[in-house]
Amino acid sequence: MQLHISPSLRHVTVLPGNGVREFIKVKVRARRVSYRMLFYSLLFFTFLLRFVFLLSTADTIDAETKCSTLGCLGKRLGPRILGRRLDSAVPEVMYQVLEQPLDNDELKGRDDIPQTLEEFMDEVKNSIFDAKAFALKLREMVTLLEQRTRNAKIQEYLYRHVASSSIPKQLLCLALRLAHEHSTNAAARRQLPLPELVPALVDNSYFHFVLASDNVLAASVVANSLFQNALRPEKFVLHIITDRKTYSPMQGWFSLHPLSPAIIEVKALHHFDWFAKGKVPVLEAMEKDLRVRSRFRGGSSAIVESNTDKPHIIAAKLQTLGPKYNSVMNHIRIHLPELFPSLNKVVFLDDDIVVQTDLSPLWDIDMNGKVNGAVETCRGQDKFVMSKRLKNYLNFSHPLIAKNFNPNECAWAYGMNIFDLEAWRKTNISITYHHWVEENLKSCLSLWQLGTLPPGLIAFHGHVHVIDPFWHMLGLGYQENTSLADAETAGVIHFNGRAKPWLDIAFPQLRPLWAKYINSSDKFITGCHIRT
């Protein structure tokens, strides 16, 4: 077969090889090459040549031996196109050395291990190391630095645990001075509230708040911030619940510092008839909890000496030893319907919150038959604080938890909660709470480790009405990145976490939001050198 093309490119003739002349003519339309097409073609080839040049140059620099431009291009593009991976340039012996476990005792007493990267580089430059010796030295240095970092973190967590668990001498001084004042000054023993205001304690036309605390200074800040920001303080009633040892100082403080026209009631637990009638489930559970923790944890020294737990696990275990989690003040909220049988609705406040707005609109929120009005903690701009779900509090590796709950379900916050006591009395929330507390004790605290929130999440499951996050901003006691401007815009701010505002470990940029509600000229405040 022969092919003939005319000089004008207009005809193409195909001649078969069998001698029979056949013509197959193809009409080709004449085209002219434009300058624009020529320009784009040159531009395309220019980029293509630069791409080939860069690939070949990089490959030549990285390779141990020289290669041609096309060879380098094929070496680079071939494995990528065919889905293959290039062999690593790191010698296999280095992987073998670095993967071998190194006993911590092998590093004790060694003074030949580089302490910094600069020392390591100087030693490498001044010595002749093969790949194995290089890996050995690198593994020793990294392991030593990891040990020091771990020990430093554990010491930090231990010091913070001691600082957050101890009673500052200023607070102890305040309690002792007020107790003395209560015993010597009749004004400090004045009845709260005044006899003519006692009917308001059970009047549902008032706005009732409940605060459970054994910290006089913290309680005073909550009360001051609540009433100073109220539009109608004469309609506000604050019920303060405390323990037997703190009753005298608490009574003395609010007797000497009346916040009229607001109404304040101070009662100790032993003043409630319900507590004196017999066995109280929460107190029995606390006694069992103390016995289990003393056997299960072994104290802070045993926790810190663990060589297997990671630092954040050790921090969590230390937190379980905090006095807050063994205080009846932290558990008492589950008995609000029994403590206040005449009230229909209350707002419960923790003693580490600060109120920054009028809270009376909380009574206008339609709870839709739910018991607990709370802020969800899985949605919000602060991804560190507002990222909590049930899996953050409950142990879903336990079959009892995994069977009954969804790990990705959103959690909610204690600290500022609206409780519809009338709706609560129609449920079995309190019974469910104590049932799961017992289950956790039976399983040696394997369902959850600490706090009242995990059993609360279980007991109030299906009974929570979500309220606007404006009413409760969390994390000021453990989120260092919270800005003062953001905190000032919230209705209620909560110093949950270890960095309580009355401690020296409080975040200095956030502490003024709490301290401004302390009267720095008060004789008890100045006498105990409480910083404001």
Side-chain angles (χ1 to χ4, degrees):
M1 178 180 293
Q2 298 180 2
L3 180 67
H4 293 278
I5 303 175
S6 65
S8 63
L9 298 179
R10 292 177 178 273
H11 298 280
V12 178
T13 304
V14 181
L15 299 177
N18 57 4
V20 181
R21 188 181 181 92
E22 295 180 3
F23 296 94
I24 302 176
K25 295 185 178 181
V26 181
K27 297 280 186 177
V28 180
R29 184 177 179 183
R31 297 186 61 182
R32 292 182 300 172
V33 179
S34 65
Y35 290 109
R36 180 179 295 179
M37 180 179 293
L38 181 61
F39 172 74
Y40 286 139
S41 299
L42 290 175
L43 188 62
F44 171 75
F45 283 111
T46 301
F47 279 110
L48 181 61
L49 287 174
R50 292 182 64 184
F51 175 70
V52 173
F53 173 76
L54 289 173
L55 285 179
S56 60
T57 304
D59 191 83
T60 303
I61 293 174
D62 294 338
E64 297 178 357
T65 58
K66 295 182 179 180
C67 61
S68 64
T69 302
L70 293 179
C72 291
L73 180 61
K75 183 178 178 181
R76 279 193 171 273
L77 295 181
R80 298 179 184 178
I81 295 174
L82 298 178
R84 296 196 302 269
R85 184 175 61 86
L86 292 174
D87 294 335
S88 174
V90 180
E92 186 65 27
V93 66
M94 293 188 65
Y95 288 119
Q96 296 174 358
V97 171
L98 294 175
E99 289 175 353
Q100 292 177 359
L102 182 61
D103 190 356
N104 295 337
D105 294 334
E106 297 180 24
L107 303 179
K108 290 183 178 179
R110 295 274 300 275
D111 56 359
D112 59 331
I113 301 175
Q115 306 295 308
T116 63
L117 180 61
E118 289 77 9
E119 293 183 13
F120 177 75
M121 294 303 299
D122 290 339
E123 188 170 343
V124 170
K125 291 177 181 179
N126 298 328
S127 305
I128 301 176
F129 279 170
D130 57 8
K132 183 176 181 180
F134 179 87
L136 286 170
K137 186 64 66 174
L138 178 63
R139 184 183 63 163
E140 293 175 348
M141 185 189 74
V142 171
T143 303
L144 179 64
L145 295 179
E146 284 181 346
Q147 288 180 8
R148 291 182 174 177
T149 302
R150 180 180 184 275
N151 292 336
K153 283 184 172 293
I154 291 174
Q155 288 298 318
E156 177 192 358
Y157 292 141
L158 179 60
Y159 294 150
R160 292 181 70 85
H161 164 69
V162 173
S164 62
S165 302
S166 304
I167 300 177
K169 62 181 181 180
Q170 294 88 346
L171 297 188
L172 182 60
C173 168
L174 181 63
L176 293 176
R177 282 176 174 261
L178 287 170
H180 178 265
E181 193 75 15
H182 185 270
S183 64
T184 59
N185 186 355
R189 298 191 298 272
R190 187 181 60 171
Q191 179 182 350
L192 291 177
L194 295 176
E196 60 269 22
L197 297 176
V198 170
L201 299 179
V202 294
D203 189 342
N204 284 293
S205 66
Y206 286 77
F207 304 114
H208 294 268
F209 300 86
V210 178
L211 168 65
S213 176
D214 57 0
N215 186 329
V216 178
L217 184 63
S220 70
V221 170
V222 175
N224 289 338
S225 64
L226 173 65
F227 297 143
Q228 288 181 25
N229 290 287
L231 296 180
R232 293 185 294 166
E234 69 278 2
K235 298 294 292 184
F236 277 35
V237 178
L238 178 60
H239 306 266
I240 299 178
I241 304 174
T242 189
D243 55 17
R244 187 185 295 269
K245 65 178 176 57
T246 315
Y247 172 72
S248 296
M250 193 77 74
Q251 172 84 5
W253 175 269
F254 286 102
S255 296
L256 297 173
H257 301 82
L259 297 174
S260 301
I263 302 171
I264 297 179
E265 176 191 30
V266 177
K267 293 181 73 173
L269 286 175
H270 63 278
H271 293 153
F272 288 92
D273 294 337
W274 181 79
F275 262 77
K277 288 181 179 179
K279 294 183 178 180
V280 180
V282 67
L283 298 180
E284 292 182 340
M286 286 179 56
E287 293 175 1
K288 295 178 182 178
D289 184 77
L290 286 172
R291 291 196 296 267
V292 172
R293 290 183 190 277
S294 63
R295 181 177 71 253
F296 183 64
R297 294 300 179 196
S300 59
S301 59
I303 294 174
V304 172
E305 291 174 0
S306 173
N307 294 323
T308 57
D309 290 336
K310 295 181 178 179
H312 71 276
I313 300 296
I314 291 178
K317 290 183 177 181
L318 286 172
Q319 193 172 359
T320 64
L321 301 179
K324 170 185 175 181
Y325 300 104
N326 297 322
S327 171
V328 67
M329 296 296 101
N330 200 37
H331 294 262
I332 200 62
R333 74 192 83 199
I334 200 62
H335 293 298
L336 288 176
E338 294 88 355
L339 295 176
F340 301 98
S342 301
L343 298 182
N344 296 333
K345 181 181 288 187
V346 300
V347 169
F348 189 88
L349 304 174
D350 278 352
D351 63 0
D352 53 355
I353 65 102
V354 174
V355 179
Q356 302 185 132
T357 189
D358 177 38
L359 295 188
S360 58
L362 294 176
W363 268 257
D364 297 329
I365 296 177
D366 185 2
M367 300 276 284
N368 297 317
K370 303 294 185 181
V371 175
N372 180 6
V375 170
E376 283 187 320
T377 56
C378 66
R379 300 177 182 89
Q381 295 181 354
D382 193 335
K383 300 302 180 184
F384 181 67
V385 175
M386 306 298 287
S387 62
K388 303 298 187 295
R389 300 181 182 273
L390 293 191
K391 61 185 178 182
N392 297 107
Y393 299 100
L394 303 177
N395 178 20
F396 277 87
S397 63
H398 196 287
L400 192 59
I401 295 295
K403 178 182 177 181
N404 290 280
F405 306 101
N406 177 10
N408 294 316
E409 187 172 342
C410 192
W412 45 268
Y414 268 151
M416 200 294 301
N417 300 84
I418 312 168
F419 288 120
D420 187 335
L421 302 184
E422 194 174 16
W424 190 339
R425 295 184 185 100
K426 300 175 183 178
T427 69
N428 59 350
I429 289 175
S430 300
I431 297 175
T432 303
Y433 181 94
H434 292 300
H435 167 75
W436 281 94
V437 169
E438 286 289 340
E439 290 294 329
N440 191 38
L441 293 174
K442 291 178 183 177
S443 63
C444 290
L445 309 182
S446 60
L447 302 185
W448 65 85
Q449 288 190 349
L450 55 88
T452 58
L453 181 56
L457 293 172
I458 295 175
F460 287 100
H461 191 262
H463 299 283
V464 177
H465 175 74
V466 179
I467 62 176
D468 193 285
F470 164 79
W471 295 110
H472 192 183
M473 182 180 185
L474 300 154
L476 277 71
Y478 67 87
Q479 172 59 293
E480 188 175 7
N481 297 325
T482 302
S483 67
L484 182 63
D486 291 339
E488 288 176 334
T489 61
V492 175
I493 54 175
H494 192 178
F495 288 84
N496 59 314
R498 292 182 176 177
K500 301 300 183 186
W502 54 83
L503 299 176
D504 291 335
I505 60 175
F507 300 125
Q509 76 276 16
L510 300 176
R511 194 175 189 274
L513 295 173
W514 179 85
K516 70 180 181 180
Y517 291 102
I518 300 176
N519 182 5
S520 59
S521 62
D522 182 83
K523 66 176 184 177
F524 296 101
I525 299 297
T526 57
C528 291
H529 306 288
I530 295 175
R531 296 183 297 107
T532 59

